[in-house]
């Protein structure tokens, strides 16, 4: 395996940055960025020099990428939802006769989503 990858961004070699300039004299080019691969940390940044190149690639090849692992139905994660009532405050910005804003109590609701452990039958 090579220690370097060329950035896969389809327009990487067209971005006008000093880091892409190669060549000498009048024969200069903008060249695709060469990315040093970290063998201990395999991730998407081994293939793209920046997020623009990543998204250019994803947009250009979105259909083919989706076809690698098609999602034909929605997935679901079992959960438990717990509602908690608690006292909170809102502020009445219409100041009172003394020029102060009023802090008005009210009962608010907080939603907790909790994981449910399931035993896989697969
Ligand atoms: Zn790039």
């Amino acid at each position: 395996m090579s220690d370097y990858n060329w950035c896969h961004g389809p327009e990487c070699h067209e971005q006008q940055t000093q880091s892409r300039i190669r060549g000498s004299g009048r024969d200069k080019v903008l060249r695709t960025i060469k990315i040093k691969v970290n063998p201990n940390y395999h991730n998407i940044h081994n293939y793209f020099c920046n997020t623009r190149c990543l998204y250019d690639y994803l947009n250009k090849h979105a259909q083919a990428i989706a076809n690698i692992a098609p999602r034909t139905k929605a997935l679901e994660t079992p959960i438990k939802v717990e509602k908690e009532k608690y006292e909170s405050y809102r502020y009445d910005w219409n100041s009172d006769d003394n020029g102060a804003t009023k802090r008005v109590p009210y009962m608010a609701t907080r939603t907790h989503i909790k994981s449910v452990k399931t035993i896989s039958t697969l």
Side-chain angles (χ1 to χ4, degrees):
M1 186 182 131
S2 170
D3 293 342
Y4 293 89
N5 285 331
W6 293 108
C7 174
H8 284 50
E11 295 168 8
C12 189
H13 64 291
E14 296 173 3
Q15 295 175 46
Q16 297 182 359
T17 65
Q18 290 192 32
S19 62
R20 289 176 170 84
I21 297 173
R22 294 292 182 276
S24 62
R26 297 170 55 158
D27 298 320
K28 296 209 186 301
V29 295
L30 292 170
R31 183 179 289 166
T32 301
I33 294 282
K34 195 179 203 180
I35 301 165
K36 184 166 177 41
V37 174
N38 181 345
N40 301 318
Y41 192 63
H42 187 80
N43 75 10
I44 200 74
H45 300 293
N46 286 340
Y47 302 95
F48 299 95
C49 71
N50 60 33
T51 51
R52 175 186 164 181
C53 284
L54 170 60
Y55 275 91
D56 285 350
Y57 183 91
L58 292 175
N59 286 325
K60 184 174 183 182
H61 301 292
Q63 190 67 58
I65 292 165
N67 287 340
I68 292 169
R71 169 87 59 238
T72 56
K73 61 181 182 179
L75 304 180
E76 295 181 346
T77 302
I79 57 167
K80 287 236 185 302
V81 176
E82 294 174 5
K83 299 278 187 184
E84 174 195 3
K85 293 227 181 264
Y86 66 101
E87 189 170 280
S88 186
Y89 297 91
R90 64 181 175 80
Y91 290 91
D92 182 354
W93 298 102
N94 297 315
S95 58
D96 61 18
D97 294 341
N98 300 323
T101 54
K102 282 185 281 188
R103 200 169 162 211
V104 182
Y106 75 102
M107 290 307 289
T109 304
R110 187 178 287 138
T111 302
H112 298 278
I113 298 175
K114 305 215 168 180
S115 301
V116 176
K117 297 278 185 215
T118 57
I119 298 166
S120 175
T121 55
L122 296 175

